[in-house]
Amino acid sequence: MEEHRDLQKLVRKSAGKSKLQSKEIATKREIEQASGNIVRLESQKRSGYEQYVLGKISKEKFLKLKQDAENEIEASWLTLNWLQSRVRSTWTMAIPAPPRAAQRSSG
C-alpha cells in the first residue's frame, strides 16, 4: 500500500515537472516568434527606405511606414523582454537555492 502512495507521489511530481517544461517550451517558442518579428520589421523598415530613395513611395508614405514599423518593433521588444524575464524566473524557481553558508561565502 505504501509503495502505491509513493508511486502516486512520483507520478504527480513528474506531471508537475512536465507541465513546467511544456510552459517553458511554449515560452521559448514565443521568444523565437518575437525575435523573428523584430527582424522582419527591421527588414520592412529598410525596404521602405529603399523604396523612398528610389522614388517608388512618397516621403509621407515612407515616414508613416517607418513610424508604424518602429511602434511594432518597440512593442515586440517589450514582449520579448517580458518573455525572457518569465523564462529566467521559471528557471530560477526550478533550481533549489544554495545553502545559507554557501550564499554568505560567495557574496
Side-chain angles (χ1 to χ4, degrees):
M1 194 63 140
E2 189 174 320
E3 290 177 9
H4 182 66
R5 276 183 282 167
D6 291 342
L7 183 59
Q8 284 179 330
K9 286 180 185 178
L10 182 62
V11 168
R12 280 194 298 264
K13 186 176 180 182
S14 67
K17 285 182 182 178
S18 178
K19 286 180 185 177
L20 180 64
Q21 288 172 339
S22 295
K23 285 181 182 179
E24 190 172 323
I25 290 168
T27 301
K28 287 180 180 180
R29 190 176 313 118
E30 290 178 60
I31 288 171
E32 289 173 8
Q33 288 174 344
S35 297
N37 202 25
I38 291 169
V39 170
R40 179 185 58 79
L41 290 164
E42 288 288 352
S43 177
Q44 281 182 355
K45 200 166 77 167
R46 277 191 301 277
S47 176
Y49 177 73
E50 290 170 3
Q51 289 177 348
Y52 166 64
V53 169
L54 294 173
K56 294 182 178 181
I57 62 172
S58 67
K59 183 176 183 178
E60 293 77 22
K61 176 79 172 174
F62 162 67
L63 292 175
K64 181 173 180 358
L65 291 172
K66 179 182 170 213
Q67 188 61 53
D68 290 347
E70 287 175 350
N71 291 344
E72 284 190 57
I73 289 169
E74 184 177 346
S76 293
W77 273 114
L78 291 171
T79 300
L80 181 63
N81 290 334
W82 178 77
L83 289 167
Q84 288 173 334
S85 69
R86 200 166 83 179
V87 167
R88 280 191 299 271
S89 68
T90 301
W91 185 70
T92 55
M93 285 179 3
I95 298 174
R100 285 281 190 204
Q103 286 178 343
R104 277 185 250 133
S105 65
S106 67

mmCIF file of all heavy atoms in Angstrom, residues 9-35:
data_model
loop_
_atom_site.group_PDB
_atom_site.id
_atom_site.type_symbol
_atom_site.label_atom_id
_atom_site.label_comp_id
_atom_site.label_asym_id
_atom_site.label_seq_id
_atom_site.Cartn_x
_atom_site.Cartn_y
_atom_site.Cartn_z
ATOM 1 N N LYS A 9 2.778 9.694 -5.669
ATOM 2 C CA LYS A 9 3.529 10.938 -5.437
ATOM 3 C C LYS A 9 4.509 11.185 -6.575
ATOM 4 O O LYS A 9 4.647 12.306 -7.058
ATOM 5 C CB LYS A 9 4.292 10.869 -4.112
ATOM 6 C CG LYS A 9 3.430 11.007 -2.894
ATOM 7 C CD LYS A 9 4.289 10.926 -1.642
ATOM 8 C CE LYS A 9 3.460 10.930 -0.373
ATOM 9 N NZ LYS A 9 4.296 10.804 0.831
ATOM 10 N N LEU A 10 5.183 10.129 -7.003
ATOM 11 C CA LEU A 10 6.143 10.252 -8.090
ATOM 12 C C LEU A 10 5.456 10.679 -9.384
ATOM 13 O O LEU A 10 5.944 11.553 -10.106
ATOM 14 C CB LEU A 10 6.875 8.923 -8.302
ATOM 15 C CG LEU A 10 7.955 8.900 -9.372
ATOM 16 C CD1 LEU A 10 9.070 9.890 -9.019
ATOM 17 C CD2 LEU A 10 8.517 7.509 -9.517
ATOM 18 N N VAL A 11 4.299 10.095 -9.671
ATOM 19 C CA VAL A 11 3.547 10.454 -10.875
ATOM 20 C C VAL A 11 3.117 11.917 -10.813
ATOM 21 O O VAL A 11 3.242 12.656 -11.783
ATOM 22 C CB VAL A 11 2.329 9.512 -11.058
ATOM 23 C CG1 VAL A 11 1.380 10.053 -12.114
ATOM 24 C CG2 VAL A 11 2.787 8.112 -11.413
ATOM 25 N N ARG A 12 2.614 12.373 -9.661
ATOM 26 C CA ARG A 12 2.199 13.777 -9.516
ATOM 27 C C ARG A 12 3.395 14.714 -9.682
ATOM 28 O O ARG A 12 3.295 15.755 -10.323
ATOM 29 C CB ARG A 12 1.529 13.997 -8.163
ATOM 30 C CG ARG A 12 0.083 13.557 -8.107
ATOM 31 C CD ARG A 12 -0.624 14.094 -6.872
ATOM 32 N NE ARG A 12 -0.024 13.609 -5.642
ATOM 33 C CZ ARG A 12 -0.437 12.558 -4.938
ATOM 34 N NH1 ARG A 12 -1.487 11.870 -5.349
ATOM 35 N NH2 ARG A 12 0.172 12.188 -3.839
ATOM 36 N N LYS A 13 4.524 14.328 -9.105
ATOM 37 C CA LYS A 13 5.721 15.159 -9.184
ATOM 38 C C LYS A 13 6.205 15.274 -10.627
ATOM 39 O O LYS A 13 6.512 16.360 -11.104
ATOM 40 C CB LYS A 13 6.820 14.572 -8.300
ATOM 41 C CG LYS A 13 8.044 15.431 -8.189
ATOM 42 C CD LYS A 13 9.035 14.825 -7.213
ATOM 43 C CE LYS A 13 10.279 15.671 -7.095
ATOM 44 N NZ LYS A 13 11.263 15.076 -6.202
ATOM 45 N N SER A 14 6.244 14.159 -11.346
ATOM 46 C CA SER A 14 6.711 14.201 -12.728
ATOM 47 C C SER A 14 5.705 14.935 -13.620
ATOM 48 O O SER A 14 6.091 15.605 -14.571
ATOM 49 C CB SER A 14 6.991 12.799 -13.269
ATOM 50 O OG SER A 14 5.815 12.064 -13.392
ATOM 51 N N ALA A 15 4.418 14.839 -13.312
ATOM 52 C CA ALA A 15 3.413 15.577 -14.087
ATOM 53 C C ALA A 15 3.603 17.076 -13.893
ATOM 54 O O ALA A 15 3.470 17.850 -14.840
ATOM 55 C CB ALA A 15 2.010 15.163 -13.674
ATOM 56 N N GLY A 16 3.929 17.485 -12.676
ATOM 57 C CA GLY A 16 4.190 18.903 -12.418
ATOM 58 C C GLY A 16 5.406 19.392 -13.183
ATOM 59 O O GLY A 16 5.394 20.475 -13.759
ATOM 60 N N LYS A 17 6.457 18.577 -13.226
ATOM 61 C CA LYS A 17 7.649 18.947 -13.993
ATOM 62 C C LYS A 17 7.317 19.021 -15.472
ATOM 63 O O LYS A 17 7.792 19.907 -16.176
ATOM 64 C CB LYS A 17 8.769 17.935 -13.757
ATOM 65 C CG LYS A 17 9.441 18.049 -12.426
ATOM 66 C CD LYS A 17 10.575 17.044 -12.303
ATOM 67 C CE LYS A 17 11.224 17.108 -10.938
ATOM 68 N NZ LYS A 17 12.302 16.108 -10.806
ATOM 69 N N SER A 18 6.502 18.081 -15.938
ATOM 70 C CA SER A 18 6.125 18.054 -17.341
ATOM 71 C C SER A 18 5.363 19.318 -17.724
ATOM 72 O O SER A 18 5.600 19.897 -18.781
ATOM 73 C CB SER A 18 5.279 16.815 -17.624
ATOM 74 O OG SER A 18 4.868 16.809 -18.963
ATOM 75 N N LYS A 19 4.445 19.756 -16.864
ATOM 76 C CA LYS A 19 3.698 20.988 -17.139
ATOM 77 C C LYS A 19 4.632 22.178 -17.190
ATOM 78 O O LYS A 19 4.514 23.048 -18.048
ATOM 79 C CB LYS A 19 2.630 21.209 -16.069
ATOM 80 C CG LYS A 19 1.439 20.298 -16.190
ATOM 81 C CD LYS A 19 0.419 20.584 -15.099
ATOM 82 C CE LYS A 19 -0.729 19.597 -15.135
ATOM 83 N NZ LYS A 19 -1.682 19.814 -14.046
ATOM 84 N N LEU A 20 5.596 22.222 -16.255
ATOM 85 C CA LEU A 20 6.569 23.316 -16.224
ATOM 86 C C LEU A 20 7.401 23.314 -17.495
ATOM 87 O O LEU A 20 7.616 24.362 -18.106
ATOM 88 C CB LEU A 20 7.468 23.188 -14.983
ATOM 89 C CG LEU A 20 8.532 24.258 -14.805
ATOM 90 C CD1 LEU A 20 7.858 25.618 -14.589
ATOM 91 C CD2 LEU A 20 9.412 23.917 -13.623
ATOM 92 N N GLN A 21 7.846 22.131 -17.929
ATOM 93 C CA GLN A 21 8.633 22.033 -19.153
ATOM 94 C C GLN A 21 7.810 22.447 -20.366
ATOM 95 O O GLN A 21 8.316 23.132 -21.252
ATOM 96 C CB GLN A 21 9.163 20.614 -19.329
ATOM 97 C CG GLN A 21 10.264 20.265 -18.349
ATOM 98 C CD GLN A 21 10.646 18.797 -18.391
ATOM 99 O OE1 GLN A 21 9.872 17.965 -18.852
ATOM 100 N NE2 GLN A 21 11.830 18.483 -17.907
ATOM 101 N N SER A 22 6.551 22.069 -20.405
ATOM 102 C CA SER A 22 5.680 22.455 -21.527
ATOM 103 C C SER A 22 5.517 23.967 -21.586
ATOM 104 O O SER A 22 5.573 24.562 -22.664
ATOM 105 C CB SER A 22 4.311 21.797 -21.399
ATOM 106 O OG SER A 22 4.417 20.417 -21.506
ATOM 107 N N LYS A 23 5.321 24.591 -20.424
ATOM 108 C CA LYS A 23 5.182 26.049 -20.386
ATOM 109 C C LYS A 23 6.476 26.717 -20.831
ATOM 110 O O LYS A 23 6.454 27.706 -21.560
ATOM 111 C CB LYS A 23 4.820 26.517 -18.980
ATOM 112 C CG LYS A 23 3.396 26.240 -18.595
ATOM 113 C CD LYS A 23 3.086 26.752 -17.207
ATOM 114 C CE LYS A 23 1.666 26.426 -16.792
ATOM 115 N NZ LYS A 23 1.369 26.895 -15.441
ATOM 116 N N GLU A 24 7.608 26.158 -20.400
ATOM 117 C CA GLU A 24 8.895 26.732 -20.773
ATOM 118 C C GLU A 24 9.131 26.611 -22.276
ATOM 119 O O GLU A 24 9.579 27.551 -22.921
ATOM 120 C CB GLU A 24 10.023 26.033 -20.004
ATOM 121 C CG GLU A 24 11.347 26.730 -20.142
ATOM 122 C CD GLU A 24 12.402 26.144 -19.227
ATOM 123 O OE1 GLU A 24 12.074 25.755 -18.099
ATOM 124 O OE2 GLU A 24 13.557 26.087 -19.664
ATOM 125 N N ILE A 25 8.779 25.463 -22.841
ATOM 126 C CA ILE A 25 8.930 25.267 -24.286
ATOM 127 C C ILE A 25 8.039 26.243 -25.047
ATOM 128 O O ILE A 25 8.461 26.861 -26.028
ATOM 129 C CB ILE A 25 8.621 23.800 -24.669
ATOM 130 C CG1 ILE A 25 9.725 22.885 -24.151
ATOM 131 C CG2 ILE A 25 8.448 23.654 -26.177
ATOM 132 C CD1 ILE A 25 9.386 21.406 -24.224
ATOM 133 N N ALA A 26 6.814 26.412 -24.596
ATOM 134 C CA ALA A 26 5.890 27.354 -25.247
ATOM 135 C C ALA A 26 6.421 28.778 -25.161
ATOM 136 O O ALA A 26 6.356 29.539 -26.130
ATOM 137 C CB ALA A 26 4.509 27.253 -24.615
ATOM 138 N N THR A 27 6.966 29.139 -24.010
ATOM 139 C CA THR A 27 7.510 30.489 -23.837
ATOM 140 C C THR A 27 8.717 30.697 -24.743
ATOM 141 O O THR A 27 8.854 31.751 -25.367
ATOM 142 C CB THR A 27 7.889 30.735 -22.362
ATOM 143 O OG1 THR A 27 6.723 30.563 -21.560
ATOM 144 C CG2 THR A 27 8.437 32.129 -22.167
ATOM 145 N N LYS A 28 9.574 29.691 -24.844
ATOM 146 C CA LYS A 28 10.741 29.808 -25.728
ATOM 147 C C LYS A 28 10.299 29.951 -27.186
ATOM 148 O O LYS A 28 10.912 30.699 -27.953
ATOM 149 C CB LYS A 28 11.673 28.614 -25.553
ATOM 150 C CG LYS A 28 12.437 28.681 -24.248
ATOM 151 C CD LYS A 28 13.362 27.510 -24.068
ATOM 152 C CE LYS A 28 14.106 27.615 -22.747
ATOM 153 N NZ LYS A 28 15.012 26.495 -22.529
ATOM 154 N N ARG A 29 9.227 29.268 -27.563
ATOM 155 C CA ARG A 29 8.688 29.400 -28.912
ATOM 156 C C ARG A 29 8.197 30.830 -29.132
ATOM 157 O O ARG A 29 8.422 31.429 -30.187
ATOM 158 C CB ARG A 29 7.557 28.395 -29.127
ATOM 159 C CG ARG A 29 7.105 28.287 -30.564
ATOM 160 C CD ARG A 29 6.038 27.218 -30.793
ATOM 161 N NE ARG A 29 6.347 25.944 -30.159
ATOM 162 C CZ ARG A 29 5.590 25.385 -29.195
ATOM 163 N NH1 ARG A 29 4.494 25.980 -28.785
ATOM 164 N NH2 ARG A 29 5.922 24.233 -28.657
ATOM 165 N N GLU A 30 7.522 31.391 -28.130
ATOM 166 C CA GLU A 30 7.058 32.777 -28.234
ATOM 167 C C GLU A 30 8.235 33.737 -28.340
ATOM 168 O O GLU A 30 8.156 34.743 -29.059
ATOM 169 C CB GLU A 30 6.201 33.135 -27.024
ATOM 170 C CG GLU A 30 4.857 32.433 -26.991
ATOM 171 C CD GLU A 30 4.069 32.787 -25.734
ATOM 172 O OE1 GLU A 30 3.780 33.985 -25.553
ATOM 173 O OE2 GLU A 30 3.762 31.880 -24.943
ATOM 174 N N ILE A 31 9.333 33.443 -27.636
ATOM 175 C CA ILE A 31 10.538 34.277 -27.720
ATOM 176 C C ILE A 31 11.087 34.249 -29.143
ATOM 177 O O ILE A 31 11.445 35.290 -29.705
ATOM 178 C CB ILE A 31 11.598 33.815 -26.700
ATOM 179 C CG1 ILE A 31 11.160 34.196 -25.286
ATOM 180 C CG2 ILE A 31 12.971 34.396 -27.021
ATOM 181 C CD1 ILE A 31 12.013 33.612 -24.182
ATOM 182 N N GLU A 32 11.142 33.068 -29.724
ATOM 183 C CA GLU A 32 11.622 32.947 -31.103
ATOM 184 C C GLU A 32 10.727 33.730 -32.054
ATOM 185 O O GLU A 32 11.220 34.387 -32.980
ATOM 186 C CB GLU A 32 11.679 31.477 -31.519
ATOM 187 C CG GLU A 32 12.775 30.694 -30.836
ATOM 188 C CD GLU A 32 12.711 29.207 -31.122
ATOM 189 O OE1 GLU A 32 11.903 28.786 -31.986
ATOM 190 O OE2 GLU A 32 13.454 28.461 -30.469
ATOM 191 N N GLN A 33 9.418 33.670 -31.842
ATOM 192 C CA GLN A 33 8.485 34.403 -32.701
ATOM 193 C C GLN A 33 8.681 35.910 -32.554
ATOM 194 O O GLN A 33 8.691 36.641 -33.545
ATOM 195 C CB GLN A 33 7.052 34.018 -32.375
ATOM 196 C CG GLN A 33 6.675 32.631 -32.824
ATOM 197 C CD GLN A 33 5.288 32.208 -32.358
ATOM 198 O OE1 GLN A 33 4.715 32.821 -31.466
ATOM 199 N NE2 GLN A 33 4.768 31.139 -32.937
ATOM 200 N N ALA A 34 8.842 36.382 -31.321
ATOM 201 C CA ALA A 34 9.041 37.818 -31.093
ATOM 202 C C ALA A 34 10.357 38.277 -31.723
ATOM 203 O O ALA A 34 10.414 39.346 -32.346
ATOM 204 C CB ALA A 34 9.018 38.131 -29.598
ATOM 205 N N SER A 35 11.403 37.469 -31.591
ATOM 206 C CA SER A 35 12.694 37.809 -32.200
ATOM 207 C C SER A 35 12.571 37.865 -33.716
ATOM 208 O O SER A 35 13.087 38.792 -34.356
ATOM 209 C CB SER A 35 13.759 36.787 -31.811
ATOM 210 O OG SER A 35 13.978 36.783 -30.431
#
